[in-house]
């Protein structure tokens, strides 16, 4: 019975290989039976992986410590929710989750397209199954989650497990990895369709229409995963950082950036038939960066705080990535003719150009992050000397890039497709730029001297103005015709073109998040040693440590401090930061946060300096709540984008038939 | 204090952090420390910014900075002292020299190449491709189609 999970994984691997061979052979020989049977193999893989995952979860929930994985990542005293979350708390289990999510996506793709894209589907099935088989090899051979503990030839059990790392026992950490994986894994689908369209030279851009929604959904999950991770780091790690430019954090950001670039540039292909090669490159880059990100997380090739999930499987990943990269490069180069642009750029001052610059800046940001992440490895390989590339490097390089990107977010909607006249630009930019200048002037007068902060706030005003004016213009037109009030007209406007106005809401969300990021320029902190009754001060807060508490329960011992917080002499809150020491020997901090729109007061109980003196780290983080509000707005905007528009828009492309020539007139480029 | 509670206090105190690294963080230490990497392996911060109390790297590093500053050492001399001891890995960012300068130059170079690529693309895409002569009957067919569409719009 102990091996039934491992057997399921092995069978799933065999069926994945069958799905690859069956779909390709079926396609090449014109054998529909084989094609359909390969698709059913994909469904069977999902069934087997669901069973294997169920087995692991059951073992975790029932404290079956005969399994090495359960003994290493769970314990009897852990709450059930964290026993469940231990599924992805370790290396083997998280790879099983990756594989299970991929099999679920594959099953949906196969089911949704059982009557569509029949010429393309065998390749789609094969490409997805290749990735599936790769991950199945990992969890079948070097990293099986079903390894049993054995003494001699006897399967044995241990009295209790080591438990999940206490840092991971937090609600957002229970959903952060699966959410991020839903994003990572989902990009396999657009990649498979894009490559299948190249292989089959499918006419038109049907793969884009099929995969745009996939891309958007997976982009949403990835955004959510990244921000849940940021929220976890903020609330759990004890020093209020939500982004530390750790290699693994960077690895999650890289495919998000390329996917964002794709979601923009794909509009060029849909509306103008342009940038086809570029879109292929972006789809492939996003997929490969997802695999690369998993490699960085799992291999330990660069040092990372995510050290709880490292193992020596780097060689598998490197081999896989190199093979895939070579195949994709060959395919794109071989099909360049098929990817020829259908229309021309009519003016540099056009929406099309703004998309080009948007993509350039996004990719520059992606490259600089990738470069900074890998530079210590490259440097050591070339010079033999270790080097540090820490947060200040990434901030110095990416803050200007981020601000320019924010600027483009405001510029894009103001420029028309095809071409914009100087007059129309003047008209469109005058008030937003004036708003930006005035807001920067006011902030300067109020004493803000941080140049990037001033620019960021100014650009936030600029972008918000441009987006709100887009909403206002559209809603006013509807309102004047239908007599609806402006709010109802805005709802109607958004419903008529959910993709466009949902996109604008996402842009507003980015602005809101930038406000939150900019607040970091004004952080304050203090670390104090205080006795009961001791007072300390930070920012506008006067704090008194009223009581030090201690105790223990089944899981951990704790010591905490009750801290009365006063503002202008009035008590506004009592916060209780706590430090825990788990029975497993691990420690964690439970910070106390007073969240407000203007700033968070963040208290961390760092420990006891001596028997009666507590060490308290106090921080004031201005505007940080705006990041989480922006996150909610981003989710809302993306969901609106996914709702079908009330009016179905079609984008006829300009078709050049030829030119009428008079007799004797030369024919050629004008 | 009850013996059990006293014992618990002792254990927690022992497990907690007896030293407060932040007591060494003056503005001067933070300024010099902001140029040095915290090499504890758990964060990507500088010695000046590391928020982990009792961090096994940043705490002694701050003590060393304080000691050197007390002897009148300049920031540059302090940084040099760390580099001599640990190598260039002690710096929070790569120095702009030799191969390490590539860390800074490459993003700029790539951005420049990207701009050149966009310029080339715009130039190329702005030139209409050669078009073949079109026969009058084909044009007539399209004109007829447009007329029909316009007529149906008016209805």
């Amino acid at each position: 019975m102990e091996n039934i999970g491992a057997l399921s994984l092995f069978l799933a691997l065999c069926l994945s290989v069958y799905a690859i061979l069956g779909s390709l052979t079926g396609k090449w020989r014109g054998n529909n039976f084989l094609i359909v049977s390969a698709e059913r193999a994909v469904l069977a893989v999902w069934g087997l992986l669901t069973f294997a995952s169920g087995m692991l979860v059951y073992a975790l929930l029932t404290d079956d410590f005969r399994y090495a994985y359960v003994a290493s990542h769970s314990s009897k005293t852990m709450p059930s929710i964290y026993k469940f979350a231990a599924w992805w708390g370790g290396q083997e289990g998280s790879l099983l989750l990756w594989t299970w999510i991929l099999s679920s996506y594959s099953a949906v793709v196969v089911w949704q397209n059982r009557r569509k894209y029949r010429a393309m589907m065998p390749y789609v099935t094969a490409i997805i199954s290749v990735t599936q088989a790769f991950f199945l090899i990992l969890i079948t051979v070097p990293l099986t989650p079903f390894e049993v503990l054995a003494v001699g030839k006897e399967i044995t059990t241990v009295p209790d497990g080591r438990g999940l790392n206490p840092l991971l026992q937090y609600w957002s950490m229970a959903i952060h990895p699966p959410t991020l994986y839903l994003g990572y894994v989902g990009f396999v689908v657009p990649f498979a369709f894009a490559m299948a369209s190249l292989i089959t030279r499918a006419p038109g851009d049907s793969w884009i229409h099929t995969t745009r929604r996939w891309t958007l959904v997976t982009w949403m999950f990835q955004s959510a995963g990244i921000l849940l991770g940021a929220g976890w780091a903020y609330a759990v790690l004890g020093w209020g950082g939500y982004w530390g430019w750790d290699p693994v954090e960077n690895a999650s950001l890289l495919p998000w950036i390329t996917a964002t670039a794709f979601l923009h540039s794909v509009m060029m292909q849909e509306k103008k038939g342009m940038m086809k090669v570029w879109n292929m490159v972006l789809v492939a880059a996003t997929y490969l960066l997802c695999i690369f990100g998993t490699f960085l997380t799992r291999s330990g090739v660069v040092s990372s705080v995510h050290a709880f999930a490292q193992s020596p499987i780097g060689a598998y990943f490197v081999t896989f990535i190199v093979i895939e990269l070579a195949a994709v490069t060959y395919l794109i180069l071989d099909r360049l003719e098929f990817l020829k642009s259908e229309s021309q750029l009519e003016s540099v001052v056009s929406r099309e150009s703004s998309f080009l610059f948007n993509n350039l800046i996004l990719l520059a940001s992606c490259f600089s992050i990738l470069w900074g992440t890998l530079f210590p490895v490259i440097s050591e390989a070339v010079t033999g000397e270790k080097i540090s590339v820490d947060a200040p490097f990434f901030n110095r390089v990416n803050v200007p890039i981020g601000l320019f990107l924010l600027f483009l977010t405001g510029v894009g909607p103001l420029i028309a497709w095809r071409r914009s006249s100087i007059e129309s630009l003047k008209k469109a930019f005058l008030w937003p730029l004036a708003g930006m200048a005035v807001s920067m002037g006011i902030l300067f007068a109020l004493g803000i001297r941080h140049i990037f902060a001033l620019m960021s706030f100014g650009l936030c005003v600029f972008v918000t103005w441009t987006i709100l004016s887009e909403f206002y213009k559209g809603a006013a037109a509807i309102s004047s015709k239908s007599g609806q009030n402006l709010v109802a007209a805005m709802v109607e406007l958004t419903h008529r073109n959910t993709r466009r106005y949902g996109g604008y809401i996402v842009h507003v969300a980015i602005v809101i998040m930038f406000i939150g990021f900019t607040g970091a320029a004004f952080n304050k902190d203090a670390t104090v040693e205080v006795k009961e009754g001791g007072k300390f001060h930070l920012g506008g807060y006067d704090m008194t440590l009223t009581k030090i508490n201690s105790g223990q329960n089944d899981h951990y011992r704790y010591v905490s401090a009750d801290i009365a917080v006063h503002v202008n002499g009035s008590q506004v809150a009592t916060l209780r930061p706590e430090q825990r020491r788990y029975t497993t020997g691990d420690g964690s901090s439970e910070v106390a946060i007073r969240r407000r729109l203007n700033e968070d007061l963040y208290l961390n109980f760092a420990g006891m300096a001596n028997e009666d003196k507590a060490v308290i780290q106090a921080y004031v983080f201005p505007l940080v709540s705006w990041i989480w509000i922006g996150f909610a707005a981003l989710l809302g905007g993306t969901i609106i984008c996914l709702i079908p528009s009330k009016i179905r828009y079609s984008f006829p492309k300009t078709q050049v038939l030829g030119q009428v020539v008079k007799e004797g007139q030369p024919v050629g480029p004008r | 204090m009850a013996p059990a509670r006293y014992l618990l206090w002792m254990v927690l105190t022992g497990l907690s952090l007896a030293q407060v690294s932040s007591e060494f963080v003056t503005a001067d230490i933070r300024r010099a420390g902001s140029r040095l990497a915290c090499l504890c392996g758990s964060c990507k911060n500088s010695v000046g910014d590391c928020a982990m109390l009792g961090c096994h790297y940043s705490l002694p590093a701050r003590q060393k900075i304080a000691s050197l500053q007390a002897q009148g050492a300049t920031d540059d001399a302090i940084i040099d002292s760390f580099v001599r001891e640990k190598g260039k890995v002690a710096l929070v960012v790569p120095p702009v020299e030799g191969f390490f300068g590539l860390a800074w130059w490459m993003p700029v170079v790539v951005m420049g190449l990207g701009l050149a690529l966009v310029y080339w693309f715009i130039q190329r895409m702005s030139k209409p491709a050669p078009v073949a002569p079109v026969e009058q009957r084909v044009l007539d067919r399209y004109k007829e189609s447009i007329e029909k569409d316009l007529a149906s719009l008016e209805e």
Side-chain angles (χ1 to χ4, degrees):
Chain A
M1 282 299 286
E2 293 77 28
N3 292 325
I4 201 162
L7 182 65
S8 300
L9 295 183
F10 181 71
L11 284 176
L13 173 61
C14 294
L15 282 173
S16 284
V17 174
Y18 174 76
I20 300 166
L21 298 176
S23 52
L24 292 180
T25 313
K27 176 70 184 173
W28 293 334
R29 293 196 172 174
N31 186 335
N32 287 332
F33 172 80
L34 266 180
I35 292 171
V36 172
S37 96
E39 290 180 350
R40 288 182 184 169
V42 169
L43 299 177
V45 168
W46 176 78
L48 286 164
L49 283 173
T50 304
F51 179 75
S53 303
M55 284 286 294
L56 184 64
V57 170
Y58 180 75
L60 287 163
L61 291 175
T62 56
D63 302 325
D64 192 344
F65 297 122
R66 290 172 302 165
Y67 291 103
Y69 186 83
V70 179
S72 298
H73 299 97
S74 183
S75 68
K76 284 178 182 170
T77 54
M78 265 168 50
S80 295
I81 179 69
Y82 296 123
K83 285 183 182 176
F84 183 81
W87 176 9
W88 49 84
Q91 180 80 285
E92 299 85 350
S94 68
L95 284 173
L96 175 61
L97 176 71
W98 213 107
T99 317
W100 178 75
I101 291 174
L102 177 57
S103 75
S104 304
Y105 277 145
S106 315
V108 173
V109 168
V110 163
W111 179 255
Q112 269 188 341
N113 297 289
R114 63 194 183 280
R115 293 193 187 89
K116 290 187 286 184
Y117 306 111
R118 295 315 299 166
M120 213 190 274
M121 274 310 287
Y123 293 110
V124 172
T125 306
I127 292 166
I128 293 178
S129 295
V130 166
T131 311
Q132 183 85 73
F134 169 70
F135 279 91
L136 277 165
I137 288 171
L138 290 181
I139 56 173
T140 306
V141 184
L143 288 172
T144 175
F146 295 104
E147 183 186 346
V148 287
L149 293 172
V151 176
K153 289 182 179 174
E154 295 291 319
I155 292 173
T156 188
T157 187
V158 292
D160 199 358
R162 288 188 54 227
L164 194 62
N165 185 331
L167 292 177
L168 303 182
Q169 295 186 37
Y170 186 75
W171 71 268
S172 74
M173 191 39 69
I175 52 173
H176 157 66
T179 314
L180 197 59
Y181 279 12
L182 281 167
Y184 262 153
V185 182
F187 287 121
V188 177
V189 177
F191 171 75
F193 272 94
M195 293 304 116
S197 82
L198 273 187
I199 294 168
T200 56
R201 291 186 170 88
D205 302 324
S206 54
W207 69 274
I208 283 183
H209 303 301
T210 310
T211 60
R212 197 188 68 83
R213 201 166 284 253
W214 272 102
T215 312
L216 207 52
V217 169
T218 51
W219 182 86
M220 180 179 75
F221 279 126
Q222 186 135 25
S223 309
I226 291 171
L227 283 159
L228 282 170
W232 166 80
Y234 179 70
V236 169
L237 293 183
W239 54 81
Y242 46 80
W243 193 262
W245 296 108
D246 179 78
V248 171
E249 290 173 354
N250 296 349
S252 68
L253 193 59
L254 295 172
W256 184 87
I257 293 174
T258 48
T260 307
F262 172 69
L263 284 170
H264 286 87
S265 70
V266 77
M267 281 186 261
M268 292 272 279
Q269 185 161 347
E270 283 179 286
K271 295 191 178 186
K272 307 281 288 182
M274 297 168 81
M275 295 177 78
K276 292 183 179 183
V277 178
W278 183 240
N279 284 326
M280 282 290 170
V281 170
L282 285 179
V283 170
T286 303
Y287 164 76
L288 289 169
L289 284 171
C290 285
I291 304 290
F292 178 74
T294 314
F295 160 62
L296 272 191
T297 320
R298 304 293 151 208
S299 66
V301 67
V302 285
S303 67
S304 158
V305 292
H306 297 67
F308 48 82
Q310 291 180 359
S311 80
I313 50 171
Y316 289 83
F317 273 99
V318 171
T319 310
F320 185 67
I321 290 171
V322 167
I323 292 171
E324 293 242 308
L325 186 61
V328 166
T329 309
Y330 166 77
L331 209 51
I332 292 177
L333 291 177
D334 189 59
R335 303 295 203 269
L336 278 179
E337 193 61 26
F338 165 70
L339 297 171
K340 232 176 168 179
S341 191
E342 292 169 39
S343 54
Q344 305 298 318
L345 200 64
E346 295 179 41
S347 167
V348 178
V349 190
S350 61
R351 182 76 65 89
E352 290 89 325
S353 285
S354 79
F355 278 125
L356 284 178
F357 284 105
N358 150 300
N359 267 241
L360 170 68
I361 300 302
L362 280 168
L363 268 284
S365 168
C366 182
F367 174 81
S368 66
I369 295 169
L370 181 64
W371 180 246
T373 306
L374 292 180
F375 193 75
V377 181
I378 297 168
S379 166
E380 195 173 357
V382 174
T383 66
E385 188 169 6
K386 280 190 177 174
I387 199 90
S388 302
V389 183
D390 289 346
F393 170 87
F394 292 100
N395 288 332
R396 273 185 228 172
V397 174
N398 282 289
V399 167
I401 292 177
L403 289 177
F404 191 56
L405 205 55
L406 186 62
F407 172 68
L408 286 179
T409 308
V411 168
L414 295 183
I415 303 182
W417 287 98
R418 299 180 67 186
R419 65 173 68 240
S420 281
S421 66
I422 298 295
E423 274 310 305
S424 71
L425 285 181
K426 271 187 195 165
K427 198 174 159 191
F429 279 96
L430 181 66
W431 286 108
L433 283 176
M436 176 179 161
V438 168
S439 60
M440 287 172 75
I442 291 171
L443 291 171
F444 188 82
L446 289 174
I448 293 180
R449 296 291 182 271
H450 194 291
I451 183 70
F452 283 134
L454 274 175
M455 286 173 69
S456 178
F457 285 133
L459 286 168
C460 286
V461 170
F462 170 73
V463 178
T464 307
W465 196 305
T466 62
I467 294 170
L468 290 183
S469 67
E470 283 291 295
F471 271 99
Y472 176 76
K473 277 188 276 184
I478 290 176
S479 178
S480 67
K481 277 188 183 174
S482 65
Q484 286 176 304
N485 66 47
L486 214 54
V487 175
M490 276 192 191
V491 173
E492 172 69 14
L493 177 75
T494 308
H495 197 185
R496 284 185 186 185
N497 193 344
T498 52
R499 192 173 161 191
R500 178 177 179 183
Y501 291 97
Y504 285 160
I505 292 170
V506 172
H507 283 185
V508 170
I510 298 292
V511 168
I512 295 171
M513 281 196 259
F514 261 82
I515 292 172
F517 299 147
T518 310
F522 310 101
N523 288 351
K524 296 187 186 100
D525 69 278
T527 304
V528 291
E529 291 177 27
V530 274
K531 290 181 178 176
E532 281 187 349
K535 294 177 188 302
F536 57 102
H537 175 87
L538 181 67
Y541 302 97
D542 294 305
M543 288 164 274
T544 308
L545 194 158
T546 54
K547 193 165 185 276
I548 298 175
N549 317 285
S550 64
Q552 63 184 77
N553 59 28
D554 289 347
H555 314 301
Y556 55 81
R557 296 189 300 263
Y558 68 88
V559 55
S560 65
D562 289 345
I563 295 171
V565 181
H566 295 80
V567 175
N568 296 328
S570 310
Q571 184 168 342
V572 291
T574 301
L575 299 180
R576 180 182 279 190
E578 180 175 301
Q579 192 178 66
R580 293 178 182 174
R581 186 68 55 177
Y582 285 80
T583 50
T584 53
D586 297 312
S588 75
S589 286
E590 298 291 307
V591 299
I593 308 173
R594 179 178 183 264
R595 295 175 192 266
R596 292 293 181 274
L597 268 183
N598 61 331
E599 63 187 19
D600 282 10
L601 174 65
Y602 184 106
L603 299 180
N604 179 37
F605 191 113
M608 295 297 293
N610 55 40
E611 193 186 322
D612 59 354
K613 253 186 185 174
V615 184
I616 305 293
Q617 289 175 302
Y619 300 85
V620 172
F621 296 123
L623 303 172
V624 75
S625 290
W626 289 63
I627 297 173
W628 323 125
I629 295 168
F631 168 41
L634 183 139
L635 286 186
T638 315
I639 289 168
I640 288 173
C641 286
L642 289 165
I643 296 170
S645 293
K646 196 171 173 183
I647 297 170
R648 188 170 285 275
Y649 290 88
S650 62
F651 307 107
K653 291 171 189 165
T654 310
Q655 192 181 5
V656 180
L657 288 171
Q659 59 179 338
V660 182
V661 288
K662 289 176 184 168
E663 212 171 312
Q665 185 183 329
V667 177
R670 278 164 279 172
Chain B
M1 190 181 279
R5 196 172 175 212
Y6 182 75
L7 188 65
L8 179 63
W9 271 117
M10 292 301 285
V11 169
L12 285 169
T13 305
L15 290 170
S16 304
L17 306 157
Q19 310 106 315
V20 183
S21 63
S22 56
E23 69 184 291
F24 299 105
V25 188
T26 61
D28 288 340
I29 293 173
R30 188 166 283 196
R31 188 190 61 247
S34 68
R35 292 167 61 186
L36 294 166
C38 176
L39 300 177
C40 68
S42 296
C43 72
K44 301 288 281 180
N45 291 320
S46 68
V47 166
D49 298 332
C50 177
M52 288 163 59
L53 289 186
C55 171
H56 68 83
Y57 185 84
S58 67
L59 175 62
R62 284 170 181 168
Q63 289 168 331
K64 183 179 171 182
I65 293 171
S67 155
L68 289 170
Q69 282 176 338
Q71 293 164 33
T74 62
D75 284 0
D76 286 341
I78 292 168
I79 307 303
D80 287 346
S81 156
F82 274 87
V83 172
R84 273 196 305 277
E85 188 185 327
K86 304 271 180 192
K88 288 194 173 66
V89 73
L91 300 171
V92 74
V93 292
V96 192
E97 62 182 40
F99 180 81
F100 307 117
L102 273 182
W104 297 101
W105 290 116
M106 277 302 276
V108 180
V109 169
V110 166
M111 178 78 98
L113 286 175
L115 275 172
L117 190 70
V118 168
Y119 176 77
W120 170 80
F121 183 80
I122 289 172
Q123 289 292 310
R124 184 169 166 265
M125 296 306 289
S126 299
K127 287 178 192 162
V131 285
V134 62
E135 290 178 29
Q136 191 59 45
R137 62 180 179 81
V138 177
L139 268 185
D140 290 344
R141 205 175 66 226
Y142 271 86
K143 276 181 185 165
E144 195 182 321
S145 164
I146 290 167
E147 292 298 330
K148 266 187 197 168
D149 288 346
L150 288 174
S152 66
L153 272 181
E154 281 162 12
E155 281 168 15

